[in-house]
């Protein structure tokens, strides 16, 4: 028995390893395929991170965090190791199969871990010390009282005794404007603090969100899956590492304990400061802040501010009754927000009768309201009524459907307005968009909206939003519960028959009750997007919503769209983008009014039934879908298409690709994802080398679902990823008018010359891409140089040139001719590379990069504005030829703004012109790597 027990124990020990060995040996091919998918997803994530990293570094004084750099280096290592596995597998060594299978399975696990780690990044960059923060756009301070408040705050910040300051006062009184002024002064007038952090808190108070935003302001991130206590500990460590900080928390509605969030208690010893703005004196007292109240403007201050904003000349004042102007100002009650909005809507009015009428309207609105802030809202409502255009007023009220303090994308908002029918006086899509932007500009000029995010978005002041919601509490009736962190769907009693618009976006709603079928026949907009956990909608939900025009379910977890949607015959906008579990959309054959259909990044494998009936479609987004095929004959019927996004899978029909190409001359924008080089070339050839007015063509055989190509610099772009494009049988064909060219992980390219072979000749090269503005190459491991002299005619409009993570590149410009190369090497001739419009040069993590031009070549680009060099340890020459002054001395390019480079590397660079280094030194911003 003991002997048999020993035998059994032996087999129990060796049995599983033997089975594993046999399995790996037999299923090596399957294991390698299992590695391919997560590796593709990891590389897609790498591409996204590199693109985001580049964009964020371009925005200001930022650099990649050490954690992100380490992640990128490890992904490069993983790719190299996976490539070695593939090569060994191809060799077919019989006795290596089990070993390779084991390594491949280990690599699968590592790949998944690094993909998961990337998903935990909420910020990729850090600000190099010392750092100030962001300079904010702000209005001019109004009144001596306000200026005295600024000086009191400044004095306390510069002193040591006061560590926490509470700036309080009624809404619209100017607290945020005051603190923006303080913030901007801190950026440029003191070295007392290491960092200034600005966070808008708003309501409802969300500690997790507050933690995230403080970390993001530090260009760092917190793990999403940790509890508040652990996150607080991490955040506290981040803030302590910055030592002396100023934390400005704007628009606080509710108190909290600093330790709950992870904010170190400011003290004289640590030199940190906290400033809050709030409408509540009680919040100031709970937070133990020194209280600084902001008072209303005096009549004289109010009048001066009003006249400044209304822009009335002295002669106009004389023609008007000054008492009427004074009376209008008095009705604003010294509240800066009311003064500015009323003045803005009276700008250009110079007729006395209209001023009297305006005064009567303003008085009537102020006195007709009851409740909290009623008189303030009445004053603000005056500006709404002064719009005097029902459609423009509807456009304004629509903005209140977004959450408080939300940056509203202009393009999205205009699309909603068009779908709602607010813009019907013009017919074609471009004219409607132009009209939409005109309305937005009017609302901004009237101070009912404010510009945000470099002009791409607009925001509503929270009091202006309160005013809009007070109007929509009656007619038109809105249900606006966006961004309130709701867990439960509103009960049936709240769905009143006269509801016109409902917004429940950005909540935590998980499901809609199975019995819910609201009788809302005039409901025209339903916004349910960004409820990430919403997974089911009952079949009966839309049965009594026949008036619905806008339905947005984007970024939800729904798997199936109810068939009752098929009967929404008035629907003009159906938005389902990033519903990552959505597999089926019911028939759209009856949705003849549909103008906008967005199915981008869903799991839909077949085109919805009845698609050919949608002849009024202007926007069709079928990008990043696992579509098996797109039937022929549909695209030609969509005669009104304005923007088209389409993915072509490996089984795409040639006829469908050609149909898409034939649309190019009438499309404003086309975005196409091609899975094969063959389909890409068919498309380009079928457009006769010229695409739509705007196009983004992505060639990525294994591209991850959901990867988007966006570029704000140019409007004609080609992006090539992870494929071979220089095959002799079928090399890539590029559109002649391409302006943006990006190549990542293209390993059979040693130079841009390979993309344009010598046989094409110089004439064709000059024809090709005379408008090429941006060149970006990344992770092309066999890239030796970027281009040769023969390509210069095609690059005379080049504005941006960037290369990153290309491990073999030694120079940018190479000489093909051996005789010329010898003459250059012996200084017989000087090779001059002229790029007259080049504005930006960027070189990142190029271990073998030595110079821009080979030998003694020089680069002439007097339009150069920025040079950025990071992670290029072998760089010896930038090869810049500087313009000369009359005395023969070099001078910097007139447009030059900054050279970002490691100081130690800068000191070792060689220069072709005497004193060049001294001339450029003032433009250097030294970085850590």
């Amino acid at each position: 028995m003991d002997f048999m027990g020993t035998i059994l124990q032996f087999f129990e020990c060796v049995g599983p390893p033997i089975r594993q060995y046999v399995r790996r040996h037999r299923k090596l091919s399957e294991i390698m395929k299992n590695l391919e998918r997560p590796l593709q997803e990891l590389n897609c994530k790498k591409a996204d991170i590199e693109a985001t990293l580049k964009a964020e570094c371009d925005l200001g004084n930022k650099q990649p965090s050490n954690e992100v750099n380490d992640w990128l280096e490890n992904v490069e290592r993983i790719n190299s190791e996976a490539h070695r596995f593939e090569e060994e597998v191809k060799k077919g060594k019989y006795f290596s199969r089990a070993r390779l299978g084991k390594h491949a399975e280990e690599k699968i696990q590592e790949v998944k871990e690094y993909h998961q780690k990337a998903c935990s990044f909420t910020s990729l960059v850090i600000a190099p010390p010392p750092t100030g923060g962001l300079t904010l756009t702000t209005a001019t301070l109004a009144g001596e009282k306000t200026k005295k408040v600024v000086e009191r705050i400044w004095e306390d910040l510069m002193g040591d005794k006061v560590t926490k300051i509470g700036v309080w006062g009624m809404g619209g009184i100017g607290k945020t404007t005051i603190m923006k002024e303080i913030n901007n002064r801190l950026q440029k007038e003191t070295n007392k603090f290491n960092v200034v952090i600005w966070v808008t808190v708003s309501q409802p108070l969300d500690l997790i969100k507050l933690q995230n935003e403080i970390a993001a302001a530090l260009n760092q991130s917190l793990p999403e899956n940790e509890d508040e206590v652990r996150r607080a500990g991490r955040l506290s460590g981040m803030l302590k590492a910055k030592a002396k900080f100023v934390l400005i928390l704007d628009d606080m509605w509710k108190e909290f304990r600093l330790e709950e969030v992870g904010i170190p208690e400011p003290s004289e010893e640590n030199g940190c400061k906290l400033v809050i703005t709030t409408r509540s004196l009680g919040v100031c007292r709970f937070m133990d802040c020194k209280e600084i109240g902001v008072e209303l403007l005096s009549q004289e201050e109010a009048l001066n501010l009003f006249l400044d904003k209304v822009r009335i000349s002295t002669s106009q004042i004389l023609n008007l009754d000054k008492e009427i102007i004074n009376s209008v100002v008095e009705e604003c009650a010294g509240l800066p927000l009311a003064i500015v909005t009323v003045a803005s809507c009276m700008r250009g009015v110079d007729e006395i009768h209209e001023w009297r009428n305006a005064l009567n309207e303003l008085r009537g609105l102020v006195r007709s309201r009851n409740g909290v802030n009623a008189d303030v809202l009445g004053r603000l409502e005056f500006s709404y009524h002064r719009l005097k255009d029902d459609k423009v007023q509807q456009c304004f009220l629509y903005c209140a459907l977004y959450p408080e303090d939300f940056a509203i994308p202009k393009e999205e908002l205009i699309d909603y307005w068009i779908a709602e029918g607010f813009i019907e006086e013009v017919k074609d899509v471009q004219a409607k968009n132009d009209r939409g932007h005109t309305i937005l500009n009017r609302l901004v000029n009237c101070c009912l909206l404010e510009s945000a995010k470099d002009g791409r978005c607009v925001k509503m002041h929270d009091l202006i939003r309160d005013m809009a919601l007070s109007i929509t509490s009656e007619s038109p009736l809105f249900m606006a519960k966006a961004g309130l962190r709701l867990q439960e769907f509103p009960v049936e009693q709240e769905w009143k028959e006269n509801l016109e618009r409902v917004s429940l976006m950005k909540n935590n709603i998980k499901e809609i009750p199975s019995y819910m079928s609201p009788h809302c026949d005039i409901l025209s907009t339903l916004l349910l997007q960004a409820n990430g956990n919403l997974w089911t909608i009952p079949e009966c939900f839309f049965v009594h919503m026949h008036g619905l025009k806008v339905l947005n379910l984007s970024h939800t977890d729904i798997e199936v769209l109810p068939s009752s949607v098929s009967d929404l015959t008035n629907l003009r906008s159906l938005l389902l983008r990033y519903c990552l579990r959505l597999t089926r959309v019911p028939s759209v054959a009856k949705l003849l009014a549909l103008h906008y259909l967005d199915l981008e990044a869903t799991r839909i494998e077949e085109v919805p039934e009845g698609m050919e009936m949608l002849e009024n479609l202007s926007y069709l987004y079928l990008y990043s879908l696992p579509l098996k095929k797109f039937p022929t004959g549909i695209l030609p019927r969509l005669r009104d298409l304005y923007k088209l996004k389409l993915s072509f899978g490996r089984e795409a029909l040639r006829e469908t690709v050609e149909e898409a190409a034939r649309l190019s001359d009438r499309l404003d924008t086309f975005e196409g994802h091609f899975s094969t080089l063959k389909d890409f070339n068919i498309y380009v050839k079928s457009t006769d080398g010229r695409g739509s007015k705007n196009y983004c063509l992505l060639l990525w055989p294994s591209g991850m679902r959901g990867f988007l190509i966006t570029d704000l610099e140019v409007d004609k772009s080609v992006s090539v990823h992870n494929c071979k494009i220089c095959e002799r049988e079928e090399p890539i064909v590029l559109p002649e008018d391409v302006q943006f060219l990006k190549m990542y992980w293209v390993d059979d390219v040693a130079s841009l010359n390979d993309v344009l072979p010598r046989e094409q000749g110089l004439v064709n090269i000059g024809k090709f891409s005379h408008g090429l503005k941006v060149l970006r190459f990344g992770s092309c491991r066999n890239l030796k140089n970027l281009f040769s002299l023969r390509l210069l005619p095609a690059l005379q409009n080049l504005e941006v040139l960037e290369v990153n993570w290309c491990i073999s590149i030694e120079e940018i410009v190479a000489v093909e001719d051996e005789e010329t190369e010898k003459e250059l090497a012996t200084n017989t001739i000087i090779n001059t590379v002229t790029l007259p419009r080049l504005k930006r040069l960027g070189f990142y993590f190029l271990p073998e990069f030595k110079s821009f031009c080979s030998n003694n070549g020089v680069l002439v680009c007097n339009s150069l504005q920025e040079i950025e060099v990071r992670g290029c340890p072998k760089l010896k020459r930038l090869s810049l030829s500087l313009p000369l002054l009359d005395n023969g001395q070099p001078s910097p390019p007139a447009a030059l703004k900054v050279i970002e480079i490691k100081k130690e590397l800068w000191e070792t660079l060689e220069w072709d012109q005497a004193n060049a280094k001294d001339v450029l030194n003032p433009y250097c911003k030294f970085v850590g790597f």
Side-chain angles (χ1 to χ4, degrees):
M1 290 294 291
D2 291 342
F3 175 75
M4 289 302 297
T6 302
I7 293 293
L8 288 173
Q9 287 178 353
F10 173 78
F11 279 107
E12 284 177 1
C13 292
V14 302
I18 290 173
R19 286 196 298 272
Q20 286 279 55
Y21 181 92
V22 173
R23 181 184 62 80
R24 288 166 178 159
H25 188 282
R26 293 176 57 191
K27 297 190 175 184
L28 177 59
S29 297
E30 182 180 331
I31 294 171
M32 292 302 295
K33 285 183 180 178
N34 291 341
L35 172 61
E36 182 180 348
R37 174 69 179 181
L39 189 62
Q40 288 170 357
E41 293 184 353
L42 181 66
N43 280 320
C44 292
K45 178 63 72 173
K46 178 174 179 283
D48 288 346
I49 284 176
E50 287 176 330
T52 305
L53 196 64
K54 179 65 191 61
E56 291 194 17
C57 288
D58 284 352
L59 285 174
N61 185 26
K62 298 177 182 177
Q63 64 188 40
S65 68
N66 291 334
E67 185 181 24
V68 170
N69 277 331
D70 180 67
W71 185 90
L72 289 168
E73 289 173 5
N74 276 294
V75 173
E76 281 292 315
R77 172 184 56 77
I78 289 169
N79 276 310
S80 297
E81 291 171 355
H83 183 68
R84 285 201 301 272
F85 291 163
E86 291 174 5
E87 294 300 315
E88 287 195 57
V89 171
K90 288 177 183 176
K91 291 176 183 177
K93 291 184 178 180
Y94 185 80
F95 293 106
S96 299
R97 292 176 62 84
R99 175 180 58 82
L100 290 171
K102 180 176 182 292
H103 290 329
E105 286 184 332
E106 291 171 349
K107 194 57 59 183
I108 289 171
Q109 184 59 35
E110 186 181 22
V111 167
K112 289 180 178 178
E113 288 172 0
Y114 272 90
H115 189 276
Q116 183 62 36
K117 187 174 182 180
C119 293
S120 70
F121 295 150
T122 57
S123 178
L124 304 177
V125 294
I126 58 174
T131 181
L134 292 174
T135 299
L136 305 172
T137 57
T138 186
T140 304
L141 294 173
E144 289 304 313
K145 292 180 182 177
T146 305
K147 292 175 182 176
K148 286 179 180 178
V149 168
V150 170
E151 294 309 316
R152 285 178 64 193
I153 297 170
W154 186 257
E155 183 179 332
D156 287 336
L157 286 172
M158 293 300 102
D160 296 326
K161 292 186 178 180
V162 178
T163 58
K164 293 189 288 187
I165 303 168
V167 182
W168 70 281
M170 65 187 299
I173 205 166
K175 302 181 295 295
T176 299
T177 301
I178 287 170
M179 287 315 303
K180 282 183 176 180
E181 174 72 17
I182 291 289
N183 174 85
N184 293 349
R185 284 176 64 172
L186 285 169
Q187 309 305 321
K188 58 187 178 181
E189 291 190 19
T190 180
N191 293 318
K192 184 177 176 67
F193 303 104
N194 293 333
V195 63
V196 181
I197 305 161
W198 179 288
V199 175
T200 302
V201 182
S202 297
Q203 59 176 336
L205 178 62
D206 183 338
L207 296 186
I208 293 287
K209 180 184 176 186
L210 180 56
Q211 288 173 330
N212 284 339
E213 294 195 0
I214 295 174
L218 295 170
N219 296 308
Q220 298 192 51
S221 59
L222 292 167
E224 293 294 332
N225 55 352
E226 283 189 344
D227 58 35
E228 287 181 14
V229 175
R230 289 179 178 272
R231 288 162 53 89
R234 291 180 185 272
L235 182 60
S236 179
M238 294 176 189
L239 288 167
K240 286 177 180 177
K242 288 294 181 183
K244 297 180 179 181
F245 64 79
V246 178
L247 176 58
I248 301 171
L249 299 179
D250 185 43
D251 197 21
M252 272 186 60
W253 287 75
K254 188 177 179 182
E255 65 279 357
F256 60 86
R257 299 188 185 281
L258 296 183
E259 62 269 21
E260 289 182 276
V261 177
I263 301 170
E265 184 70 31
S267 66
E268 288 188 53
E269 289 72 28
N270 61 28
C272 300
K273 305 276 187 174
L274 171 69
V275 188
I276 68 170
T277 72
T278 178
R279 298 184 192 180
S280 168
L281 179 59
V283 170
C284 290
R285 290 175 175 170
F286 182 93
M287 301 295 290
D288 194 24
C289 294
K290 176 180 177 179
E291 302 154 16
I292 298 182
V294 183
E295 299 179 18
L296 296 166
L297 299 180
S298 67
Q299 177 64 14
E300 182 182 357
E301 291 170 335
L303 179 60
N304 290 336
L305 176 60
F306 184 89
L307 294 176
D308 177 62
K309 297 300 179 182
V310 81
R311 297 174 191 169
I312 296 179
S313 65
T314 305
S315 59
Q316 287 175 309
I317 293 175
L318 293 174
N319 292 332
L320 295 171
D321 186 339
K322 194 171 181 180
E323 287 304 313
I324 291 180
I325 296 177
N326 277 321
S327 297
V328 170
V329 174
E330 283 177 7
E331 289 299 327
C332 296
L335 187 67
L337 180 63
I339 294 166
V340 168
T341 53
V342 171
S344 298
C345 71
M346 292 302 294
R347 195 176 295 150
V349 176
D350 55 9
E351 213 283 320
I352 187 66
H353 300 291
E354 192 167 352
W355 275 89
R356 285 200 193 102
N357 181 64
L359 176 60
N360 290 332
E361 287 180 3
L362 181 56
R363 283 173 172 165
L365 287 166
V366 171
R367 288 155 180 73
S368 65
R369 287 184 164 271
N370 297 307
V372 179
N373 287 334
D375 54 345
V376 175
L377 298 183
R379 295 180 182 102
L380 298 177
E381 190 177 333
F382 171 78
S383 300
Y384 163 80
H385 288 291
R386 290 292 302 176
L387 292 171
K388 294 184 176 179
D389 184 317
D390 179 64
K391 293 294 176 64
V392 176
Q393 289 174 335
Q394 293 286 351
C395 289
F396 164 72
L397 294 176
Y398 206 94
C399 300
L401 293 172
Y402 286 88
E404 184 176 302
D405 286 314
F406 191 81
I408 308 170
K410 286 183 176 181
E411 299 298 332
E412 176 181 291
L413 186 59
I414 291 171
D415 288 337
Y416 285 150
W417 290 350
I418 293 172
E420 275 277 7
F422 298 157
I423 304 174
E424 291 186 325
E425 60 269 34
V426 289
K427 296 301 179 185
D428 70 87
V429 178
Q430 184 60 59
K432 288 184 177 184
N433 277 289
D434 292 342
R435 173 63 178 153
H437 282 283
T438 301
I439 292 172
L440 275 175
N441 290 339
R442 182 176 175 189
L443 294 175
V444 170
N445 291 336
C446 289
C447 295
L448 290 171
L449 296 177
E450 56 188 75
S451 185
K453 291 198 174 180
D454 299 324
R456 299 192 303 273
C457 299
V458 291
K459 293 180 78 171
M460 266 186 149
H461 188 284
D462 52 3
L463 266 182
I464 298 284
R465 183 173 182 268
D466 289 344
M467 175 266 288
L469 291 177
S470 72
I471 294 172
T472 60
S473 65
E474 299 171 0
S475 179
L477 182 62
F478 285 15
M479 185 199 296
K481 295 188 174 184
L484 299 181
R485 294 185 289 148
L486 299 179
Q487 302 280 341
E488 304 294 330
F489 200 71
V491 297
E492 204 156 13
Q493 289 82 351
E494 295 184 69
W495 294 82
K496 301 183 184 301
E497 289 187 7
N498 59 337
L499 261 180
E500 294 189 31
R501 294 177 191 101
V502 171
S503 176
L504 298 169
M505 70 169 83
K506 295 184 75 67
N507 281 301
N508 298 319
I509 298 169
K510 294 183 179 180
E511 61 179 326
I512 299 174
S514 59
Y515 58 82
M516 185 72 78
S517 182
H519 286 253
C520 299
D521 289 334
I522 65 170
L523 183 68
S524 60
T525 286
L526 178 56
L527 304 180
L528 284 166
Q529 69 265 33
N531 280 280
N533 296 319
L534 179 60
W535 63 277
T536 181
I537 300 175
E539 188 62 41
C540 60
F541 184 70
F542 297 107
V543 169
H544 303 294
M545 296 184 182
H546 293 294
L548 205 59
K549 296 178 181 177
V550 176
L551 175 59
N552 194 336
L553 289 162
S554 301
H555 294 274
T556 61
D557 258 0
I558 60 170
E559 297 179 4
V560 176
L561 197 63
S563 57
S564 53
V565 169
S566 297
D567 295 322
L568 300 178
T569 55
N570 289 304
L571 198 63
R572 301 189 68 189
S573 187
L574 177 58
L575 308 172
L576 300 164
R577 64 185 294 141
Y578 282 91
C579 292
L580 298 176
R581 297 178 182 271
L582 183 64
T583 57
R584 186 181 72 84
V585 171
S587 172
V588 295
K590 297 180 185 178
L591 308 185
L592 303 183
L594 206 59
H595 165 80
Y596 201 126
L597 178 59
D598 190 348
L599 301 176
E600 185 170 342
T602 61
R603 290 191 179 275
I604 293 171
E605 295 184 353
E606 296 181 358
V607 171
E609 179 187 341
M611 177 81 80
E612 69 279 359
M613 304 300 294
L614 306 182
E615 296 187 4
N616 290 314
L617 268 185
S618 297
Y619 298 81
L620 176 59
Y621 295 166
L622 299 174
Y623 200 70
S624 297
L625 302 185
L627 282 179
K628 293 179 179 177
K629 63 177 63 176
F630 192 101
T632 59
I634 293 180
L635 289 177
R637 296 191 62 170
L638 308 181
R639 300 183 183 89
D640 290 336
L641 272 184
Y642 183 72
K643 291 186 178 181
L644 173 64
K645 296 183 181 182
L646 196 56
S647 294
F648 299 94
R650 290 186 176 276
E651 300 177 21
L653 299 174
R654 178 189 179 104
E655 292 82 358
T656 305
V657 179
E658 292 174 340
E659 285 177 354
R662 284 194 288 271
L663 290 173
S664 63
D665 59 341
R666 51 192 174 93
L667 284 175
D668 176 82
T669 303
F670 173 72
E671 290 189 33
H673 173 196
F674 300 86
S675 296
T676 68
L677 177 59
K678 180 181 178 181
D679 286 340
F680 180 93
N681 284 347
I682 288 173
Y683 178 86
V684 174
K685 290 175 182 177
S686 299
T687 62
D688 296 324
R690 304 185 69 82
S692 307
K693 179 181 176 183
N694 307 287
Y695 60 79
C696 294
L697 307 183
L698 168 63
L699 172 58
W700 195 344
S702 55
M704 186 177 82
R705 294 175 61 256
F707 180 84
L708 301 179
I709 288 294
T710 56
D711 189 83
L712 301 175
E713 298 170 280
V714 290
D715 54 13
K716 299 174 186 292
S717 46
V718 171
S719 193
V720 182
H721 294 250
N722 204 25
C723 60
K724 294 183 177 181
I725 61 173
C726 298
E727 300 285 353
R728 184 175 295 277
E729 299 78 17
E730 187 176 22
I732 192 169
V733 178
L734 294 173
E736 293 175 1
D737 60 347
V738 62
Q739 294 182 2
F740 171 97
L741 180 59
K742 175 180 178 181
M743 293 192 180
Y744 266 68
W745 309 303
V746 183
D747 288 344
D748 66 336
V749 171
S751 169
L752 187 59
N753 292 49
D754 296 341
V755 181
L756 295 171
R758 184 181 295 274
E759 303 87 71
Q760 287 188 311
L762 186 60
V763 175
N764 280 345
I765 290 172
K767 182 181 179 183
F768 160 77
S769 199
H770 58 277
L772 192 64
K773 294 180 179 179
V774 178
L775 268 179
R776 289 195 173 114
F777 279 71
S779 301
C780 298
R781 67 182 69 192
N782 294 314
L783 192 72
K784 301 295 184 184
N785 59 70
L786 212 54
F787 55 85
S788 69
L789 293 175
R790 75 182 180 92
L791 281 191
L792 274 180
L795 303 174
Q796 293 303 289
N797 288 309
L798 194 66
E799 296 179 4
V800 177
L801 192 159
E802 294 175 354
V803 188
N804 64 77
W805 295 98
C806 294
I807 59 176
S808 301
I809 193 167
E810 298 183 9
E811 58 195 7
I812 302 301
V813 184
V815 179
E816 293 177 303
D817 189 293
E818 289 187 12
E819 185 174 339
T820 304
E821 189 168 2
K822 288 179 182 178
E823 291 176 334
L824 285 168
T826 57
N827 294 327
T828 307
I829 62 171
I830 295 178
N831 175 28
T832 301
V833 177
T834 303
L835 297 172
R837 298 189 179 181
L838 189 65
K839 296 178 181 178
R840 176 174 173 77
L841 280 173
F843 307 119
Y844 311 92
F845 309 104
L846 310 175
E848 300 299 324
F849 182 48
K850 296 181 178 68
S851 67
F852 189 93
C853 302
S854 58
N855 297 313
N856 66 333
V858 295
L859 171 65
V860 177
C861 49
N862 295 337
S863 57
L864 197 60
Q865 296 178 7
E866 301 173 34
I867 302 173
E868 189 171 1
V869 180
R870 294 174 184 265
C872 300
K874 294 186 179 180
L875 181 63
K876 296 297 181 186
R877 296 175 65 243
L878 281 174
S879 308
L880 282 180
S881 177
L882 301 180
L884 299 178
L885 299 172
D886 292 340
N887 62 5
Q889 292 297 310
S891 67
L896 187 64
K897 296 177 181 176
V898 67
I899 302 173
E900 294 190 31
I901 191 171
K902 189 175 181 179
K903 187 173 184 179
E904 293 81 357
L905 181 61
W906 175 257
E907 297 297 340
T908 63
L909 290 182
E910 301 170 2
W911 300 92
D912 299 294
Q913 294 169 289
N915 302 325
K917 179 180 173 183
D918 295 335
V919 167
L920 295 175
N921 248 330
Y923 297 89
C924 286
K925 182 168 74 174
F926 296 119
V927 295
F929 59 96

